[in-house]
Amino acid sequence: MADNARAKRLADLIREVVAQKLQRGIKDPRLGSHVTITDTRVTGDLREATVFYTVYGDDEERKAAAAGLESAKGILRSEVGRAAGVKFTPTLTFVADALPDTARTIEDLLDKARQSDAKVRETSAGATYAGGADPYRKPADDEADDTTETDGDATA
């Protein structure tokens, strides 16, 4: 079992090597320049690596990129082995990253919140306070109430 720091270093190296090889070394038109390696994770025993990627484009281009990455898996693994110099080169598994979809969902939710805030602002534009601008009692008001009660008691 390797330590976490070594697994992190290997994951970073795999991410860099795969990204460089995709950019310069593989001539597959399905991969092109719209595939981005976002993250890499390596298991504790350094035997398996999961490479997360995003594809700029529609669903058809995402499917083509996934097929291209699967076909280039052997070349990419041999490049990783050459660069890493470890006894056992990890197997590579490519997973489409859900980050863009999550970001799109968050943006949609933020837009809904902005619209809701705008509606609240519109309805409260001409509104007035129900019981006055300051609904809290002040110490000065309490003293005025106390003096009228104590004046009646002092004369008796």
Side-chain angles (χ1 to χ4, degrees):
M1 189 88 169
D3 61 344
N4 288 339
R6 184 172 180 202
K8 176 74 171 130
R9 284 194 310 269
L10 183 61
D12 290 342
L13 177 72
I14 291 171
R15 186 181 71 239
E16 290 174 15
V17 168
V18 169
Q20 287 176 357
K21 191 67 175 172
L22 286 176
Q23 187 178 18
R24 297 187 199 134
I26 296 182
K27 303 295 182 205
D28 193 342
R30 297 176 290 185
L31 298 175
S33 63
H34 44 274
V35 175
T36 304
I37 304 300
T38 56
D39 193 19
T40 307
R41 295 189 186 142
V42 179
T43 58
D45 61 356
L46 306 179
R47 296 281 181 155
E48 298 175 16
T50 305
V51 180
F52 295 93
Y53 68 94
T54 59
V55 178
Y56 181 74
D58 57 357
D59 288 335
E60 206 172 289
E61 290 176 348
R62 288 184 188 122
K63 290 177 185 175
L69 286 170
E70 284 299 315
S71 70
K73 187 185 286 189
I75 296 169
L76 294 171
R77 184 172 181 220
S78 64
E79 275 299 312
V80 167
R82 204 172 299 136
V86 292
K87 184 176 181 179
F88 182 82
T89 303
T91 58
L92 301 178
T93 305
F94 292 96
V95 176
D97 198 354
L99 183 70
D101 296 332
T102 305
R104 191 174 311 116
T105 303
I106 290 172
E107 282 297 322
D108 292 342
L109 291 173
L110 288 173
D111 286 340
K112 287 180 184 177
R114 285 185 200 108
Q115 291 172 359
S116 175
D117 287 348
K119 287 180 185 176
V120 168
R121 259 187 252 112
E122 287 175 11
T123 57
S124 67
T128 59
Y129 295 106
D134 189 10
Y136 301 105
R137 295 179 67 179
K138 295 185 176 45
D141 294 340
D142 291 339
E143 290 174 7
D145 291 340
D146 291 342
T147 57
T148 56
E149 292 175 9
T150 56
D151 290 341
D153 292 339
T155 58

